[in-house]
Amino acid sequence: MRDDFVHQPIVVATAPGKFILTGEHAVVYGTPAIACPVAGVHAKAEVYTANSGGITVDAIDINTQIRTNIDLTHPISLATNNLLQHLSVKTPPNFHIKLSSTIPIAAGLGSGAAITTALLKALAEAMGHKLATNELSDLVYEIEKLFHGTPSGIDNTVIAYAQPVWFIRDKTLQPMKCATPFDILIADTGVASETMRAVAGVRERYTQAITQYKAYFDEITEIGLQAKAAIETGSISDLGPLLDKNHVTLQHIGVSSPELDALVTAAKVAGALGAKLSGGGVGGNMIALVKPTAIKSVSEALTNAGATRVIHTQVN
Ligand code: PMV
């Protein structure tokens, strides 16, 4: 263990993972989406004082140390240096920051955005600044762009706010209130998929059939509006069929896969109230809305149908 880690951290900050409940892909074209934090998995940043060296970040999970005043092109350095500039801090403080995460990587659960969020929240606080949530979200978005090209901004938003959000690209955000908590299982197909490629595929098909795709996006808007109402009135049983419908629309726009469809079917057969792919699709994750009494059985059915990991989260 490094000497400085023997001491207590001066600040600890965490940020949750995320999943998309409705509206992925269409959100890139300006329609609303609902995203929720994933409780139980999080990124964590611990700030320790150091004697010299400026800000050094130890990314524990990938066994990498980033010296933010030397490794200038590393995304962690860019995030850190953007924050210093944003707060008009001319001389970087001497800090060691220990960064870790229990959020599965490259799984559409927002691990990258969560790591940047935890890092910036902790660092700002250690320098005596409390960032407003929208400020934090904007700073994280700058780093998201490095990885995802032109992301809609949904990941940084839901993770910075750490509560369900009704998100429309470039519009004022609405954090949502859940009248009744609901249970979601997030199951991974184990098939790696790059969101950027899935988004590019949709773009290609959209340009070939704009009218048809606009109709799909309208359908997704309607699903989102009804899902929002169901959540805000606590009519959770209404939410299930809406997720099913959203999955069908996502199949139409070409972002499902045999593996995703198999998990969606398995969840439904085992008694889920509704199920759909979640996030970029093509591979990656699906979600199932379940009654508390069905968490175990649906979870087992998903594993039996080939899910490589199932995470349970409650949205509230
Ligand atoms: O793959 P994820 O979970 O990061 O989701 C991306 C969501 C998209 O709508 C497909 C892209 C975006 O930028 O919003």
Side-chain angles (χ1 to χ4, degrees):
M1 188 183 283
R2 303 163 54 101
D3 276 355
D4 17 85
F5 288 170
V6 172
H7 308 297
Q8 292 295 315
I10 54 166
V11 173
V12 178
T14 61
K18 76 96 195 18
F19 72 91
I20 297 180
L21 187 72
T22 68
E24 54 276 272
H25 284 291
V27 70
V28 173
Y29 298 79
T31 66
I34 300 174
C36 306
V38 180
V41 289
H42 61 261
K44 181 163 82 171
E46 299 166 77
V47 184
Y48 298 80
T49 51
N51 295 326
S52 58
I55 300 168
T56 304
V57 179
D58 281 294
I60 305 291
D61 307 316
I62 50 169
N63 211 5
T64 303
Q65 185 174 84
I66 304 116
R67 296 153 302 168
T68 63
N69 54 355
I70 298 174
D71 311 317
L72 292 176
T73 55
H74 195 286
I76 293 281
S77 305
L78 293 171
T80 306
N81 294 328
N82 282 354
L83 177 67
L84 295 177
Q85 202 179 1
H86 179 74
L87 297 174
S88 307
V89 175
K90 300 269 178 306
T91 314
N94 296 319
F95 287 146
H96 274 134
I97 303 180
K98 196 171 145 188
L99 211 49
S100 58
S101 172
T102 56
I103 305 169
I105 295 171
L109 295 178
S111 72
I115 283 173
T116 314
T117 303
L119 170 70
L120 294 181
K121 220 158 91 174
L123 179 56
E125 198 179 323
M127 293 190 297
H129 297 267
K130 182 149 177 33
L131 293 173
T133 313
N134 62 328
E135 241 180 320
L136 176 62
S137 176
D138 289 350
L139 285 161
V140 176
Y141 183 65
E142 288 308 308
I143 306 305
E144 285 290 284
K145 285 199 281 194
L146 301 176
F147 295 104
H148 302 297
T150 51
S152 62
I154 194 166
D155 279 25
N156 48 287
T157 304
V158 62
I159 290 168
Y161 281 80
Q163 74 181 97
V165 295
W166 173 253
F167 178 86
I168 303 174
R169 190 176 188 156
D170 302 328
K171 292 262 165 62
T172 311
L173 164 95
Q174 283 180 32
M176 284 174 60
K177 287 213 164 56
C178 292
T180 311
F182 56 93
D183 293 280
I184 292 282
L185 295 172
I186 306 169
D188 197 334
T189 56
V191 178
S193 165
E194 265 182 60
T195 296
M196 212 151 121
R197 280 183 70 173
V199 170
V202 174
R203 172 73 61 190
E204 214 176 294
R205 293 186 289 279
Y206 168 84
T207 49
Q208 304 296 317
I210 293 181
T211 311
Q212 179 64 72
Y213 271 66
K214 281 192 170 156
Y216 292 143
F217 298 156
D218 286 347
E219 250 172 60
I220 293 175
T221 299
E222 190 50 41
I223 290 167
L225 284 165
Q226 290 182 26
K228 181 172 186 279
I231 293 168
E232 289 176 343
T233 57
S235 317
I236 298 309
S237 55
D238 292 349
L239 196 53
L242 294 167
L243 300 189
D244 295 342
K245 250 173 122 172
N246 197 168
H247 185 68
V248 173
T249 321
L250 288 164
Q251 286 175 321
H252 288 148
I253 66 172
V255 292
S256 194
S257 70
E259 293 83 359
L260 283 164
D261 290 344
L263 293 185
V264 165
T265 303
K268 291 286 296 175
V269 169
L273 299 170
K276 65 181 273 292
L277 74 86
S278 176
V282 186
N285 284 276
M286 54 75 71
I287 55 168
L289 175 69
V290 288
K291 286 191 177 144
T293 48
I295 293 170
K296 192 164 175 287
S297 53
V298 176
S299 190
E300 279 169 8
L302 286 165
T303 305
N304 292 339
T308 53
R309 177 187 46 237
V310 182
I311 294 174
H312 165 234
T313 189
Q314 191 174 67
V315 181
N316 50 38

